Amino acid sequence: MAAALEHEQRGPRRRLVELLHEQGIKDLAVLNAIDKVPRHLFVPTGVRHRAYEDSALPIGNGQTISQPSIHARYLELLKLKGNEKVLEIGTGSGYQTALLSVLASQVFSIERIPALLDTARETIRQTGFRNISFLLGDGTLGWRQYAPYDAILVGAGAPEVSSTYQEQVTEGGRILIPLGDREEQTLYMFTRRGDKLEQEEIAPVRFVPLVGKYSWEGL
Ligand code: SAH
């Protein structure tokens, strides 16, 4: 990563890391990733001054980048060791994609809105994260070519877990997905055990809706 970009806003980013630690995020790998990724470059210039607040921010096209504490809790659940292959549904700003690229060995990320994917791809290029492949398309279909994945992270709310995710995750692999209605959901973590999914309820969340073939009709 270009040194100038990495050091910019280092102070505010450090304070965010301290705040997350105080809030109970203990995983040093996750805190280190948040310390490394320049969140301010992943948000539109108009809200850049708020990049290191613990808030969700608009990223255009009616979509939002989640609050850093959500990303942190979300990533902590996966307990990534660094050698995993992960699939992300909903690239959005590309911020979480960059965090994953620090925490895992290969990241595959799907986004359905071309303008968001273009911006995310460009930010990722500028910031120098390299182990990432992008796909423009419907993430409810997964990405069969590189399956199976050790973890699948769905960054938008869905009515149910589509069988595509179950088919594309490894034995013992994890699926993190917000399930509920279009406004409010509960975050679940599923672990694949043979042809069954073990379910763990995590927390109430509010994500934008997942739009695609295996989601709500009429979106
Ligand atoms: N984690 C992202 C959050 C993005 S919001 C970030 O840090 O910025 C959720 C994203 O999911 C939006 O960009 C939305 O366009 C995308 N999305 C919704 N349905 C999708 C689908 N079926 N396939 C791929 N992306 C989808």
Side-chain angles (χ1 to χ4, degrees):
M1 192 191 306
L5 290 181
E6 195 182 348
H7 292 299
E8 214 189 324
Q9 304 243 18
R10 181 150 278 287
R13 190 151 66 248
R14 210 17 82 74
R15 284 193 287 283
L16 173 64
V17 169
E18 282 162 13
L19 176 77
L20 296 174
H21 188 238
E22 282 161 21
Q23 286 180 3
I25 305 297
K26 298 276 182 284
D27 188 326
L28 292 180
V30 171
L31 293 171
N32 170 55
I34 290 173
D35 194 41
K36 260 195 171 155
V37 178
R39 188 173 189 259
H40 62 284
L41 300 180
F42 289 85
V43 300
T45 45
V47 292
R48 199 156 275 179
H49 60 290
R50 301 185 55 202
Y52 294 103
E53 290 174 14
D54 188 22
S55 350
L57 295 170
I59 55 170
N61 294 82
Q63 307 300 319
T64 48
I65 177 173
S66 304
Q67 231 174 304
S69 54
I70 296 275
H71 284 299
R73 288 191 65 195
Y74 204 90
L75 293 170
E76 194 169 51
L77 289 166
L78 294 176
K79 299 190 172 66
L80 296 169
K81 294 192 178 67
N83 56 354
E84 295 87 354
K85 187 161 84 168
V86 301
L87 175 67
E88 177 187 54
I89 313 299
T91 314
S93 64
Y95 175 64
Q96 181 176 270
T97 324
L99 293 175
L100 285 169
S101 100
V102 178
L103 290 164
S105 86
Q106 278 180 286
V107 184
F108 295 85
S109 185
I110 310 177
E111 172 57 54
R112 60 177 285 275
I113 300 180
L116 289 179
L117 187 63
D118 287 349
T119 306
R121 208 193 278 272
E122 178 54 20
T123 313
I124 293 279
R125 194 193 60 75
Q126 281 173 13
T127 44
F129 297 99
R130 301 213 188 285
N131 48 343
I132 305 171
S133 307
F134 292 105
L135 178 69
L136 176 66
D138 178 3
T140 69
L141 305 174
W143 195 343
R144 203 166 293 278
Q145 190 180 353
Y146 299 103
Y149 303 94
D150 300 295
I152 299 179
L153 296 90
V154 184
E160 59 188 14
V161 189
S162 110
S163 56
T164 19
Y165 298 147
Q166 188 167 346
E167 286 157 21
Q168 294 186 23
V169 79
T170 54
E171 173 64 23
R174 305 254 161 90
I175 303 170
L176 261 182
I177 184 166
L179 297 180
D181 61 34
R182 291 165 205 212
E183 279 81 40
E184 294 183 1
Q185 308 90 23
T186 303
L187 182 64
Y188 285 90
M189 183 164 73
F190 293 93
T191 307
R192 179 172 175 181
R193 306 273 179 225
D195 56 7
K196 294 211 167 54
L197 288 178
E198 203 176 274
Q199 167 180 325
E200 195 183 329
E201 193 176 317
I202 309 294
V205 285
R206 296 176 81 111
F207 279 67
V208 295
L210 187 69
V211 180
K213 183 168 179 208
Y214 299 113
S215 193
W216 287 288
E217 285 178 23
L219 272 179

Short mmCIF file of all heavy atoms in Angstrom, two decimals, residues 92-127:
data_model
loop_
_atom_site.label_atom_id
_atom_site.label_comp_id
_atom_site.label_asym_id
_atom_site.label_seq_id
_atom_site.Cartn_x
_atom_site.Cartn_y
_atom_site.Cartn_z
N GLY A 92 -20.49 -3.60 -2.01
CA GLY A 92 -20.78 -2.24 -1.55
C GLY A 92 -19.58 -1.33 -1.78
O GLY A 92 -19.08 -1.21 -2.89
N SER A 93 -19.09 -0.74 -0.70
CA SER A 93 -17.94 0.17 -0.78
C SER A 93 -16.63 -0.57 -1.00
O SER A 93 -15.63 0.03 -1.40
CB SER A 93 -17.82 0.94 0.53
OG SER A 93 -17.53 0.01 1.58
N GLY A 94 -16.60 -1.86 -0.66
CA GLY A 94 -15.35 -2.62 -0.74
C GLY A 94 -14.57 -2.59 0.58
O GLY A 94 -13.50 -3.22 0.68
N TYR A 95 -15.09 -1.89 1.59
CA TYR A 95 -14.36 -1.79 2.87
C TYR A 95 -14.21 -3.15 3.55
O TYR A 95 -13.12 -3.56 3.93
CB TYR A 95 -15.09 -0.80 3.79
CG TYR A 95 -14.48 -0.72 5.18
CD1 TYR A 95 -13.18 -0.26 5.35
CD2 TYR A 95 -15.20 -1.12 6.31
CE1 TYR A 95 -12.60 -0.19 6.62
CE2 TYR A 95 -14.63 -1.05 7.57
CZ TYR A 95 -13.34 -0.59 7.72
OH TYR A 95 -12.78 -0.53 8.97
N GLN A 96 -15.34 -3.86 3.66
CA GLN A 96 -15.24 -5.17 4.31
C GLN A 96 -14.42 -6.14 3.46
O GLN A 96 -13.73 -7.01 3.99
CB GLN A 96 -16.64 -5.75 4.54
CG GLN A 96 -16.57 -7.09 5.24
CD GLN A 96 -17.94 -7.63 5.56
OE1 GLN A 96 -18.47 -7.37 6.63
NE2 GLN A 96 -18.50 -8.36 4.64
N THR A 97 -14.48 -5.95 2.14
CA THR A 97 -13.67 -6.78 1.23
C THR A 97 -12.19 -6.61 1.59
O THR A 97 -11.43 -7.58 1.66
CB THR A 97 -13.90 -6.34 -0.23
OG1 THR A 97 -15.26 -5.96 -0.40
CG2 THR A 97 -13.53 -7.42 -1.21
N ALA A 98 -11.79 -5.35 1.82
CA ALA A 98 -10.39 -5.07 2.19
C ALA A 98 -10.05 -5.68 3.55
O ALA A 98 -8.98 -6.27 3.72
CB ALA A 98 -10.14 -3.57 2.19
N LEU A 99 -10.97 -5.58 4.51
CA LEU A 99 -10.72 -6.20 5.83
C LEU A 99 -10.52 -7.70 5.66
O LEU A 99 -9.60 -8.29 6.23
CB LEU A 99 -11.90 -5.95 6.78
CG LEU A 99 -12.15 -4.50 7.23
CD1 LEU A 99 -13.42 -4.42 8.06
CD2 LEU A 99 -10.97 -3.94 8.02
N LEU A 100 -11.37 -8.31 4.83
CA LEU A 100 -11.27 -9.76 4.60
C LEU A 100 -9.94 -10.11 3.93
O LEU A 100 -9.36 -11.16 4.20
CB LEU A 100 -12.43 -10.24 3.74
CG LEU A 100 -13.78 -10.33 4.45
CD1 LEU A 100 -14.90 -10.55 3.44
CD2 LEU A 100 -13.77 -11.48 5.47
N SER A 101 -9.47 -9.23 3.06
CA SER A 101 -8.24 -9.54 2.35
C SER A 101 -7.05 -9.55 3.32
O SER A 101 -6.07 -10.24 3.09
CB SER A 101 -8.02 -8.61 1.17
OG SER A 101 -7.13 -7.60 1.48
N VAL A 102 -7.16 -8.81 4.45
CA VAL A 102 -6.12 -8.85 5.47
C VAL A 102 -6.26 -10.13 6.32
O VAL A 102 -5.29 -10.72 6.75
CB VAL A 102 -6.20 -7.60 6.39
CG1 VAL A 102 -5.17 -7.65 7.50
CG2 VAL A 102 -6.07 -6.32 5.57
N LEU A 103 -7.52 -10.56 6.51
CA LEU A 103 -7.80 -11.65 7.46
C LEU A 103 -7.82 -13.06 6.85
O LEU A 103 -7.74 -14.04 7.57
CB LEU A 103 -9.17 -11.41 8.11
CG LEU A 103 -9.23 -10.22 9.07
CD1 LEU A 103 -10.68 -9.83 9.35
CD2 LEU A 103 -8.51 -10.55 10.36
N ALA A 104 -7.96 -13.14 5.52
CA ALA A 104 -8.07 -14.46 4.87
C ALA A 104 -7.06 -14.53 3.73
O ALA A 104 -6.37 -13.55 3.44
CB ALA A 104 -9.50 -14.63 4.34
N SER A 105 -6.98 -15.69 3.05
CA SER A 105 -5.96 -15.75 1.99
C SER A 105 -6.52 -15.38 0.62
O SER A 105 -5.83 -14.79 -0.20
CB SER A 105 -5.25 -17.09 1.99
OG SER A 105 -5.96 -18.02 1.24
N GLN A 106 -7.78 -15.71 0.37
CA GLN A 106 -8.38 -15.36 -0.93
C GLN A 106 -9.79 -14.87 -0.71
O GLN A 106 -10.56 -15.51 0.02
CB GLN A 106 -8.48 -16.59 -1.82
CG GLN A 106 -7.22 -16.94 -2.56
CD GLN A 106 -7.51 -18.19 -3.39
OE1 GLN A 106 -7.61 -19.29 -2.85
NE2 GLN A 106 -7.66 -18.02 -4.68
N VAL A 107 -10.13 -13.75 -1.35
CA VAL A 107 -11.46 -13.17 -1.19
C VAL A 107 -12.15 -13.09 -2.55
O VAL A 107 -11.57 -12.59 -3.52
CB VAL A 107 -11.38 -11.75 -0.59
CG1 VAL A 107 -12.77 -11.19 -0.32
CG2 VAL A 107 -10.55 -11.74 0.68
N PHE A 108 -13.38 -13.59 -2.59
CA PHE A 108 -14.21 -13.50 -3.79
C PHE A 108 -15.42 -12.65 -3.40
O PHE A 108 -16.05 -12.93 -2.39
CB PHE A 108 -14.63 -14.90 -4.25
CG PHE A 108 -13.45 -15.72 -4.68
CD1 PHE A 108 -12.71 -16.43 -3.74
CD2 PHE A 108 -13.03 -15.70 -5.99
CE1 PHE A 108 -11.57 -17.14 -4.12
CE2 PHE A 108 -11.90 -16.41 -6.39
CZ PHE A 108 -11.18 -17.14 -5.45
N SER A 109 -15.71 -11.60 -4.17
CA SER A 109 -16.74 -10.67 -3.75
C SER A 109 -17.67 -10.33 -4.92
O SER A 109 -17.21 -10.02 -6.02
CB SER A 109 -16.07 -9.39 -3.22
OG SER A 109 -17.05 -8.52 -2.69
N ILE A 110 -18.98 -10.42 -4.67
CA ILE A 110 -19.98 -10.20 -5.73
C ILE A 110 -20.82 -8.98 -5.40
O ILE A 110 -21.29 -8.82 -4.27
CB ILE A 110 -20.93 -11.43 -5.85
CG1 ILE A 110 -20.12 -12.73 -5.94
CG2 ILE A 110 -21.85 -11.27 -7.07
CD1 ILE A 110 -20.98 -13.99 -6.00
N GLU A 111 -21.02 -8.12 -6.40
CA GLU A 111 -21.89 -6.94 -6.25
C GLU A 111 -22.78 -6.85 -7.48
O GLU A 111 -22.35 -7.12 -8.59
CB GLU A 111 -21.02 -5.68 -6.10
CG GLU A 111 -21.76 -4.35 -6.12
CD GLU A 111 -22.85 -4.23 -5.04
OE1 GLU A 111 -22.57 -4.43 -3.86
OE2 GLU A 111 -24.00 -3.93 -5.43
N ARG A 112 -24.05 -6.43 -7.27
CA ARG A 112 -24.98 -6.37 -8.40
C ARG A 112 -25.06 -4.99 -9.03
O ARG A 112 -25.57 -4.86 -10.13
CB ARG A 112 -26.37 -6.85 -7.97
CG ARG A 112 -27.00 -6.05 -6.87
CD ARG A 112 -28.39 -6.54 -6.55
NE ARG A 112 -29.34 -6.12 -7.56
CZ ARG A 112 -29.96 -4.93 -7.56
NH1 ARG A 112 -29.72 -4.05 -6.60
NH2 ARG A 112 -30.81 -4.64 -8.51
N ILE A 113 -24.61 -3.94 -8.33
CA ILE A 113 -24.73 -2.58 -8.88
C ILE A 113 -23.39 -2.16 -9.52
O ILE A 113 -22.38 -2.01 -8.82
CB ILE A 113 -25.16 -1.57 -7.79
CG1 ILE A 113 -26.53 -2.00 -7.20
CG2 ILE A 113 -25.20 -0.15 -8.33
CD1 ILE A 113 -27.07 -1.11 -6.11
N PRO A 114 -23.39 -1.99 -10.86
CA PRO A 114 -22.12 -1.75 -11.55
C PRO A 114 -21.34 -0.55 -11.01
O PRO A 114 -20.12 -0.64 -10.82
CB PRO A 114 -22.55 -1.50 -13.01
CG PRO A 114 -23.88 -2.18 -13.15
CD PRO A 114 -24.53 -2.11 -11.80
N ALA A 115 -22.04 0.57 -10.71
CA ALA A 115 -21.32 1.78 -10.27
C ALA A 115 -20.60 1.54 -8.94
O ALA A 115 -19.48 2.00 -8.74
CB ALA A 115 -22.30 2.95 -10.13
N LEU A 116 -21.25 0.80 -8.04
CA LEU A 116 -20.61 0.51 -6.74
C LEU A 116 -19.41 -0.40 -6.94
O LEU A 116 -18.34 -0.18 -6.36
CB LEU A 116 -21.61 -0.15 -5.78
CG LEU A 116 -22.72 0.74 -5.23
CD1 LEU A 116 -23.64 -0.06 -4.31
CD2 LEU A 116 -22.15 1.94 -4.48
N LEU A 117 -19.58 -1.40 -7.80
CA LEU A 117 -18.46 -2.32 -8.02
C LEU A 117 -17.26 -1.58 -8.63
O LEU A 117 -16.12 -1.79 -8.23
CB LEU A 117 -18.88 -3.50 -8.90
CG LEU A 117 -17.80 -4.58 -9.01
CD1 LEU A 117 -17.50 -5.21 -7.66
CD2 LEU A 117 -18.19 -5.66 -9.99
N ASP A 118 -17.52 -0.69 -9.60
CA ASP A 118 -16.43 0.06 -10.23
C ASP A 118 -15.66 0.87 -9.19
O ASP A 118 -14.43 0.89 -9.18
CB ASP A 118 -16.98 1.03 -11.29
CG ASP A 118 -17.44 0.29 -12.54
OD1 ASP A 118 -17.15 -0.92 -12.66
OD2 ASP A 118 -18.11 0.93 -13.39
N THR A 119 -16.42 1.59 -8.33
CA THR A 119 -15.76 2.42 -7.32
C THR A 119 -14.97 1.56 -6.34
O THR A 119 -13.83 1.87 -5.99
CB THR A 119 -16.82 3.26 -6.56
OG1 THR A 119 -17.58 3.98 -7.52
CG2 THR A 119 -16.18 4.24 -5.60
N ALA A 120 -15.58 0.46 -5.90
CA ALA A 120 -14.90 -0.42 -4.94
C ALA A 120 -13.61 -0.98 -5.55
O ALA A 120 -12.56 -0.99 -4.92
CB ALA A 120 -15.83 -1.56 -4.53
N ARG A 121 -13.71 -1.42 -6.78
CA ARG A 121 -12.55 -2.00 -7.47
C ARG A 121 -11.41 -0.98 -7.56
O ARG A 121 -10.26 -1.29 -7.31
CB ARG A 121 -12.99 -2.40 -8.88
CG ARG A 121 -12.24 -3.53 -9.49
CD ARG A 121 -12.55 -3.58 -10.97
NE ARG A 121 -13.79 -4.25 -11.31
CZ ARG A 121 -13.88 -5.57 -11.52
NH1 ARG A 121 -12.82 -6.33 -11.41
NH2 ARG A 121 -15.03 -6.10 -11.87
N GLU A 122 -11.77 0.27 -7.88
CA GLU A 122 -10.77 1.32 -8.02
C GLU A 122 -10.13 1.64 -6.66
O GLU A 122 -8.91 1.82 -6.55
CB GLU A 122 -11.43 2.57 -8.65
CG GLU A 122 -10.53 3.77 -8.83
CD GLU A 122 -9.24 3.49 -9.61
OE1 GLU A 122 -9.18 2.49 -10.36
OE2 GLU A 122 -8.29 4.28 -9.44
N THR A 123 -10.95 1.71 -5.60
CA THR A 123 -10.40 1.99 -4.26
C THR A 123 -9.46 0.87 -3.83
O THR A 123 -8.39 1.12 -3.28
CB THR A 123 -11.53 2.15 -3.22
OG1 THR A 123 -12.53 3.00 -3.76
CG2 THR A 123 -11.02 2.72 -1.92
N ILE A 124 -9.87 -0.36 -4.11
CA ILE A 124 -9.03 -1.51 -3.75
C ILE A 124 -7.70 -1.45 -4.53
O ILE A 124 -6.64 -1.71 -3.98
CB ILE A 124 -9.78 -2.83 -4.05
CG1 ILE A 124 -10.98 -2.99 -3.12
CG2 ILE A 124 -8.85 -4.03 -4.03
CD1 ILE A 124 -10.69 -3.52 -1.74
N ARG A 125 -7.78 -1.05 -5.78
CA ARG A 125 -6.55 -0.96 -6.59
C ARG A 125 -5.60 0.09 -5.99
O ARG A 125 -4.43 -0.16 -5.78
CB ARG A 125 -6.91 -0.60 -8.04
CG ARG A 125 -5.78 -0.80 -9.04
CD ARG A 125 -6.08 -0.15 -10.38
NE ARG A 125 -6.29 1.30 -10.30
CZ ARG A 125 -5.34 2.20 -10.13
NH1 ARG A 125 -4.08 1.82 -10.03
NH2 ARG A 125 -5.63 3.49 -10.04
N GLN A 126 -6.18 1.26 -5.66
CA GLN A 126 -5.37 2.35 -5.10
C GLN A 126 -4.74 1.99 -3.76
O GLN A 126 -3.65 2.44 -3.44
CB GLN A 126 -6.24 3.58 -4.83
CG GLN A 126 -6.57 4.39 -6.04
CD GLN A 126 -7.58 5.48 -5.66
OE1 GLN A 126 -7.85 5.75 -4.49
NE2 GLN A 126 -8.16 6.09 -6.67
N THR A 127 -5.49 1.24 -2.95
CA THR A 127 -4.98 0.95 -1.62
C THR A 127 -4.08 -0.28 -1.60
O THR A 127 -3.42 -0.56 -0.60
CB THR A 127 -6.15 0.76 -0.61
OG1 THR A 127 -7.14 -0.06 -1.21
CG2 THR A 127 -6.79 2.08 -0.27
#
